[in-house]
Amino acid sequence: MRIALFVTCLGDVLFPDVARATVAVLERLGHDVVFPEAQTCCGQMHTNTGYQHDAVGLVRHHVDVFEQAMARGCEAVVAPSGSCVGSVRHQHAAVARRSGDEALAVRAEAVAARTFELSELLVDVLGVTDVGAAYPHRVTYHPTCHSLRLLGVGDRPLQLLRAVRGIDLVELPAADSCCGFGGTFSVKNADTSTAMLADKMSAVLATDAEVVTAGDASCLMHIGGGLSRLRTGVRPVHLAEILASTA
Amino acid sequence: MSTFLGMPQGRVPGPAADTAVGQLTGDRPFPAAARDALGNTQLRRNLAHATSTIRAKRAAVVGEVPDWEALREAGSAIKADTMARLPELLEQLEANVTARGGTVHWARDAAEANRIVLDLVRATGENEVVKVKSMATQEIGLNEALEGAGITAHETDLAELIVQLGHDKPSHILVPAIHRGRSEIREIFAREMPGVDPGLTDEPAVLAAAARTHLREVFLRAKVAVSGANFGVAETGTLTVVESEGNGRMCLTLPETLITVMGIEKVVPTWRDLEVFLQLLPRSSTGERMNPYTSSWAGVTPGDGPQEFHLVLLDNGRTRALADDLGRTALHCIRCSACLNVCPVYERTGGHAYGSVYPGPIGAVLTPFLTGITGGSDPNDSLPYASSLCGACYDVCPVKINIPDLLVELRAEHTEAHAARHRLPTSEAAAMKAAAWVMADPKRFARVGRAATRGRHGIRQGKPVLPLPPPLSGWTASRDVPSPPAETFRDWWARTRGDRP
């Protein structure tokens, strides 16, 4: 299948390893990955902080770019981020409608219908749970809020992780509690965000895992930023990186 | 009818709620108020224990209802229908209450509602009233208004009594004293409750018995009661109060005069609609299959119960919310507080940080819809930002209010109201505009991304060499920053795959 990679702005600039791993997994499974180079950002930060007027242009740009990719034969769009896919699927049309652009809303809905978070694409669209990965480490999985509640990915990431050779997968206590990131919430309400992070870190440490994984680089940046500040020795690794690993 | 109740035309808002009277706003924005609460270790412990207990109870009793999702759909649909024809239903309710011997009063705002109740109590010649726990009367600050006129209001719900005796404010819709542990309650009772046994222990049963003894005397003496209402049935003129302790039943049946203050959004079209809500409400709120006491009455019945009944219908910003397509859905709330109990923000800050009597996720949307978003530094403008948008509230809402979407809408209303009233943008608005400008063009975005990779030299062991300014310093205060990579993804792609067809 020809698949367009929606790398996300964070994945492009701060976490290219996550994006490269996404490409590696899909190519290993025999798929053709395309990177539409005109893509920039889905505008989630603008939308969620109250700047929908500024987000409209980004929504339009995103729709233009991935409409073209689909016109060139891409059957699906994939992002290694539940949150950015959530924005595409649940916010783009609404942002367009709020600005009075119904035509854009309809186009956004069409792009959204073909856009998938990585675990959704693998399990639902491509029908694989064993991607041939090996990862001999003790790992705990944090289901990020937008993957869990906005997209409803359920246990798809866990199905993928359970099939990884050598992995020691341990359950995270109170897994469905938010880590406290929430985009600009983490700086606008830094104290509350930190209190939430503290509890998430306690849960991670209680598992005695060496790696905490998730389907969102942003939440991992938050959890990892806390774990690193406290020098816990636990490292954040994106789901895509584990699935790409063969060593 | 003396209040604005025409159906909204387009997006023309009704009058905003009165914030000078009552308790719909705090004195500080949420982040500052939250900071104090977060540092209170006793509060944190009390809240974590109480919310996790109720959460588990709710999950268990909701899980055993096979048609729970269908019930939520029904609840949502009934509320949507109600809001679409609110004036008609309220006039029907008024006609039926009046026909059955009650008197209906219309209150535009908190001050008007307080004045109506005060005049009614004065007309009885009494100087005290008993109260059933009621959010509407907390919202309008009725107790304070009565007190100012020399009338004592006795709260009879156990948790409200704890709050009242402690000269405190409620911090939860259902469990207003959730922030108090039992040793604190013992201390409040020992200090404030008239005639209490000084040897009181902090055993829950002992504390409840002390409250019971204290309240029994008040119930037997009181001639006037003030209540709220969970539902008002338009079809029959029936009012309903749902409660757990029996104090409500005492207040609703023993006194000679009953005054009920009800928000106009509490009307339901038909008696049969209660079938849906009386299943949704107890399971969502107390985590019980059925609440112990459900009291319903219509008008007055000669020789049985209060012989004088007044219903005060309260607007106080509700028609303003009704005029907004999204704000209208916030009026669907049945005050179960399930969203508070699952909210990771509420669990850590408690209710006082929200300033309003309506805390937690629903409060963060309902309050600003009632009082209006100003676009300025009004504390209520900070409420829509008091959420990580994790979505747990939406999952549990028995009437499916999409609280995350409402929060996002109110955030937009805040920034747009600010932009409309100020010539200069905030630094945040300017930064967002700049980011949108960069992101609107892939070449600009690629250049900025490349520049960011060079920023990795400015980070040592997770900390920027040059301290970041606020609000970004909020991140670095407790979290390391990731070191940017040597190469962006798009540059890597162009370098390794760029020539591919």
Side-chain angles (χ1 to χ4, degrees):
Chain A
M1 184 183 282
R2 179 172 283 197
I3 300 160
L5 175 66
F6 162 30
V7 69
T8 80
C9 60
L10 205 65
D12 182 10
V13 177
L14 278 182
F15 302 102
D17 289 350
V18 174
R20 281 202 289 268
T22 305
V23 175
V25 172
L26 294 172
E27 289 184 344
R28 193 167 69 215
L29 293 170
H31 300 287
D32 180 17
V33 181
V34 173
F35 176 65
E37 295 185 49
Q39 64 180 280
T40 58
C41 167
C42 67
Q44 183 184 191
M45 176 181 74
H46 290 88
T47 304
N48 284 351
T49 312
Y51 298 88
Q52 294 204 32
H53 290 320
D54 294 321
V56 181
L58 301 178
V59 169
R60 185 173 295 112
H61 183 71
H62 183 93
V63 169
D64 285 344
V65 168
F66 287 97
E67 239 177 19
Q68 278 172 33
M70 293 196 294
R72 288 180 192 150
C74 288
E75 294 172 65
V77 178
V78 69
S81 163
S83 193
C84 302
V85 172
S87 183
V88 167
R89 213 180 279 168
H90 290 279
Q91 294 185 326
H92 275 194
V95 168
R97 276 204 180 93
R98 193 175 185 275
S99 78
D101 194 339
E102 179 62 26
L104 178 61
V106 171
R107 291 170 58 211
E109 278 165 354
V111 171
R114 306 268 286 274
T115 304
F116 303 93
E117 179 273 336
L118 180 61
S119 73
E120 291 179 326
L121 180 82
L122 290 169
V123 177
D124 297 347
V125 182
L126 305 177
V128 265
T129 48
D130 185 350
V131 297
Y135 196 75
H137 301 281
R138 189 172 171 91
V139 175
T140 193
Y141 168 72
H142 166 64
T144 61
C145 299
H146 291 179
S147 296
L148 194 67
R149 286 182 276 264
L150 211 49
L151 301 182
V153 302
D155 71 344
R156 289 171 186 79
L158 287 168
Q159 291 178 41
L160 292 161
L161 286 168
R162 283 188 203 113
V164 172
R165 318 267 182 290
I167 197 168
D168 178 13
L169 191 61
V170 280
E171 194 181 328
L172 182 65
D176 61 358
S177 288
C178 177
C179 74
F181 175 58
T184 50
F185 172 78
S186 63
V187 295
K188 282 174 162 296
N189 278 285
D191 297 277
T192 306
S193 168
T194 298
M196 290 158 71
L197 175 61
D199 290 343
K200 184 55 70 180
M201 290 196 291
S202 300
V204 170
L205 295 175
T207 65
D208 199 28
E210 58 177 304
V211 166
V212 56
T213 192
D216 264 288
S218 53
C219 308
L220 277 179
M221 175 174 76
H222 187 239
I223 300 170
L227 291 169
S228 152
R229 173 60 58 89
L230 298 183
R231 309 295 189 248
T232 59
V234 182
R235 68 182 185 281
V237 177
H238 193 282
L239 174 69
E241 296 176 279
I242 292 178
L243 298 181
S245 177
T246 49
Chain B
M1 210 192 287
S2 69
T3 190
F4 169 85
L5 264 177
M7 281 309 271
Q9 303 291 315
R11 288 172 78 91
V12 179
D18 200 339
T19 50
V21 180
Q23 187 60 58
L24 275 178
T25 188
D27 51 7
R28 287 182 299 170
F30 184 84
R35 200 169 298 131
D36 287 350
L38 290 165
N40 182 338
T41 54
Q42 178 73 57
L43 175 82
R44 294 283 295 277
R45 187 154 192 85
N46 294 348
L47 282 169
H49 174 71
T51 55
S52 63
T53 305
I54 308 181
R55 261 201 313 265
K57 279 179 72 181
R58 180 210 160 268
V61 298
V62 163
E64 66 187 21
V65 181
D67 60 348
W68 184 253
E69 288 308 313
L71 275 171
R72 290 177 78 208
E73 288 291 348
S76 175
I78 294 168
K79 286 292 182 179
D81 170 52
T82 301
M83 297 309 147
R85 49 194 187 98
L86 198 55
E88 166 199 328
L89 291 171
L90 287 169
E91 287 181 350
Q92 194 188 356
L93 176 69
E94 177 184 37
N96 284 319
V97 168
T98 307
R100 300 179 84 157
T103 308
V104 176
H105 310 257
W106 300 83
R108 183 190 309 271
D109 56 24
E112 202 168 274
N114 286 335
R115 204 159 49 237
I116 292 167
V117 176
L118 186 55
D119 287 347
L120 290 170
V121 177
R122 275 189 179 133
T124 66
E126 294 297 316
N127 61 6
E128 64 175 0
V129 301
V130 283
K131 283 192 69 208
V132 189
K133 176 178 161 26
S134 140
M135 293 309 297
T137 61
Q138 289 282 3
E139 173 188 328
I140 62 177
L142 179 65
N143 290 8
E144 292 74 10
L146 291 175
E147 198 181 325
I151 294 163
T152 308
H154 300 283
E155 292 289 353
T156 65
D157 170 85
L158 179 54
E160 285 291 358
L161 177 67
I162 293 163
V163 168
Q164 188 178 39
L165 290 177
H167 310 288
D168 199 356
K169 285 177 178 168
S171 70
H172 189 281
I173 292 172
L174 177 77
V175 200
I178 194 169
H179 56 290
R180 296 292 195 187
R182 65 193 211 191
S183 62
E184 292 171 285
I185 295 167
R186 192 211 77 85
E187 193 263 324
I188 291 168
F189 279 12
R191 195 181 63 226
E192 302 282 346
M193 192 180 272
V196 77
D197 173 9
L200 188 74
T201 70
D202 68 0
E203 280 301 304
V206 172
L207 294 171
R212 189 183 167 88
T213 307
H214 165 72
L215 288 172
R216 187 55 54 119
E217 194 193 325
V218 179
F219 287 133
L220 293 173
R221 197 173 66 214
K223 299 276 187 283
V224 181
V226 177
S227 85
N230 292 96
F231 308 100
V233 181
E235 173 187 56
T236 56
T238 312
L239 281 301
T240 297
V241 163
V242 172
E243 45 122 6
S244 296
E245 296 167 14
N247 64 304
R249 181 67 58 82
M250 298 285 241
C251 293
L252 298 167
T253 52
L254 288 177
E256 292 164 7
T257 300
L258 172 61
I259 304 165
T260 298
V261 181
M262 181 183 106
I264 52 172
E265 81 283 20
K266 297 288 180 173
V267 68
V268 294
T270 70
W271 176 253
R272 179 151 184 196
D273 296 328
L274 293 182
E275 170 201 343
V276 172
F277 295 114
L278 292 180
Q279 291 182 77
L280 288 171
L281 182 54
R283 288 181 195 259
S284 298
S285 61
T286 50
E288 293 168 302
R289 296 186 177 107
M290 198 177 169
N291 50 290
Y293 295 87
T294 300
S295 302
S296 291
W297 71 99
V300 292
T301 307
D304 182 13
Q307 294 302 294
E308 200 178 329
F309 170 59
H310 296 272
L311 174 63
V312 182
L313 293 171
L314 175 71
D315 183 337
N316 208 33
R318 285 162 177 77
T319 51
R320 186 193 179 281
L322 188 70
D324 186 296
D325 294 342
L326 287 168
R328 174 179 292 203
T329 65
L331 296 179
H332 293 189
C333 175
I334 57 172
R335 310 285 188 265
C336 73
S337 61
C339 63
L340 278 61
N341 301 329
V342 298
C343 178
V345 173
Y346 178 88
E347 182 184 341
R348 288 165 183 87
T349 66
H352 292 156
Y354 295 80
S356 163
V357 288
Y358 302 112
I362 187 62
V365 294
L366 183 61
T367 302
F369 273 122
L370 293 177
T371 63
I373 285 286
T374 65
S377 54
D378 184 279
N380 286 354
D381 269 49
S382 71
L383 294 180
Y385 291 95
S387 165
S388 65
L389 303 177
C390 85
C393 48
Y394 182 30
D395 274 8
V396 298
C397 178
V399 290
K400 299 187 77 167
I401 301 171
N402 191 332
I403 296 175
D405 275 6
L406 297 186
L407 290 164
V408 169
E409 168 63 20
L410 284 166
R411 292 175 185 189
E413 289 185 14
H414 165 73
T415 66
E416 287 158 15
H418 185 279
R421 281 168 207 185
H422 298 81
R423 211 160 47 83
L424 286 177
T426 60
S427 55
E428 179 188 275
M432 288 287 171
K433 191 140 307 275
W437 180 77
V438 167
M439 289 164 168
D441 180 82
K443 290 201 185 68
R444 280 199 289 266
F445 184 65
R447 274 200 298 278
V448 169
R450 217 165 288 138
T453 62
R454 288 193 288 275
R456 70 187 184 279
H457 303 299
I459 295 167
R460 299 274 151 74
Q461 294 187 329
K463 289 183 186 152
V465 176
L466 297 172
L468 294 175
L472 297 177
S473 54
W475 178 281
T476 50
S478 59
R479 291 148 290 204
D480 280 352
V481 290
S483 193
E487 187 178 38
T488 63
F489 176 81
R490 69 180 60 232
D491 282 351
W492 171 80
W493 183 275
R495 183 167 60 78
T496 59
R497 318 279 186 105
D499 294 328
R500 260 178 24 151

